[in-house]
Structure formats: C-alpha cells, structure tokens
Amino acid sequence: MTFLAIDVGNTRLKWTLYDRAEPGAGVLAHGAEFLEHIDRLGERAWASLPEPHAMLGCIVAGQAVKHRVQEQMEGWSIEPSWVVASEAEAGLTNGYDYPSRLGADRWVAMIGARHHMLRRGPSRPILLVMVGTAVTVEAIDQHGRYLGGLILPGHGIMLRALESGTAGLHVPTGDVCEFPTNTSDGLTSGGTFAIAGACERMFQHLFKHCAAEPLCLMTGGAGWKMLPAMTRPFELIETMVFDGLLVVAKERGELIGRL
C-alpha cells in the first residue's frame, strides 16, 4: 500500500512516496518544490508516480495553498487528508492553550521525535529544535506531554528585518565566529547565537522541570547550519516531519481497522 506524505511549509512543499504507511517504510520517491511552483507538480514530478493508496500531510501555508496542492492530486482517486493538532495523538499530549492552533508541522515533528526517543530506550524529556523560515524550540516531558515552545525568526527573517530597519546594512552573508570584526560576520553570528541561546535557555528550563536531562534533537532544512553553534550535542534528523506522518498514518490506520 503506497503512501504519499506531504509537508507544506512557509517556503517549500516537500513530499515522499513510501511503500507502506508505517515507521521504517521504504522510500520510493521524494522531492521538493518552492510554493510558487507547486501548480506544476501534477504534470511534472508527480506525473510519473504510481498512484498512492493513501495520502497524509501537514500544512502551515494556509487554505489557498492547500487548495492548490489538492488540485495537483485530482488525477488520483485518493482522498487528501491533513493533520490538525489535537489534544492527544500517537502518545503525545498537547499542552497548548488552544490545541488546534498549534502548527501542524510542529505537532507532527514532535510525534516523530517521541517515536525516535522511545525506540532507543527508557522515556526521557525531549528538546526539539526545528530550523526553517522560522525556528521553534519545543519542550516535551518524559511522559509525552508537550509543555510549550519558543518561536523565533529564522536567519533570513532576522537579516531582512535588520536590512529594512537599519540604513546601510545591505551586506553579504558572513561567517559565524566568536568575535566578529566586520558587519557581515556580525549579522550572521548574531542571528546564529541568538537562536543557540534560546535553545540553551529552553534546555535549562526543561532539565529543571523534569529533573532529567533532555534528549536534544534538531530538524529542518537549515538545521546543519546551527549544529556547530549549539552548546549541547544535538542529533540532526532531517526527516522528522515525515517520520511523524508515518507514525500518525499507522495509528490512524489501526484505529480505522478496529471500528
């Protein structure tokens, strides 16, 4: 039973076709497309795919983009299905004030992160950092309860904000260094260490709250840029959202089968 997983972020749509809808499934095909070009998926990247038996996705880009994505699947007979954060799913309890307002990508990535943690041994807290257009720093306790998370601008947003609000800062991207001696390095280092500092602060909060050292995981397209600047050892898992979608798909399939 082939399964199509889709992650629609603020900038790009990423997709993976699996040979089945469960963790550990084999990858048959995958790709990514910037949102301005998703209207050609049906006639290009997806045109040569075998028709999926099921599809599950998460989206943060809004209803208009969702409609455009679904239009690209009209040649298939599958019913599009999208994750919306709920009070609890796949062993994770949602501590957000209004659970459905939590971003679907954040919710799914946390489900994937908890699944990774449980496969390795005893349950422990998780600090999950997602580095993309925006950066989120999520805290999950050892019982699978999502405690809350930070939201920060990503590197690109920080630089654009400084360029638009400060005269004369149209400079190329610099390097990350301890003591920047030019404007480019100062901007790049400042943004990187701001994100790293927020992650360290959340680590300390979570460690104190749970009285146990958190497992530190990172995901997102720009995660590799952040790893060298982190004060704690983080494991980079680039497929975290897709891993979470596989966990959710398997659980929902089992629940449907029991009805």
Side-chain angles (χ1 to χ4, degrees), residues 169-230:
L169 278 184
H170 298 281
V171 295
T173 302
D175 296 320
V176 177
C177 51
E178 293 182 353
F179 304 104
T181 55
N182 60 72
T183 304
S184 295
D185 291 352
L187 289 169
T188 301
S189 301
T192 299
F193 291 138
I195 294 170
C199 296
E200 174 62 23
R201 180 58 62 89
M202 183 60 89
F203 179 94
Q204 295 173 9
H205 290 329
L206 186 56
F207 199 163
K208 180 179 179 181
H209 180 86
C210 297
E213 184 172 353
L215 172 66
C216 296
L217 301 175
M218 184 175 291
T219 191
W224 62 274
K225 295 181 180 180
M226 283 303 306
L227 283 180
M230 305 305 289

Side-chain angles (χ1 to χ4, degrees), residues 158-175:
M158 288 188 193
L159 290 175
R160 287 194 294 273
L162 284 168
E163 287 180 351
S164 64
T166 309
L169 278 184
H170 298 281
V171 295
T173 302
D175 296 320

Side-chain angles (χ1 to χ4, degrees), residues 20 46 75 88 128 158 181 186 239 242 244:
R20 61 193 188 279
W46 289 355
L128 174 63
M158 288 188 193
T181 55
T239 60
F242 290 110

Side-chain angles (χ1 to χ4, degrees), residues 114 117 123-126 140-145 209-212:
R114 182 161 171 79
M117 180 268 296
S123 183
R124 58 187 290 196
I126 302 170
I140 307 165
D141 71 13
Q142 59 265 57
H143 307 294
R145 178 174 177 80
H209 180 86
C210 297

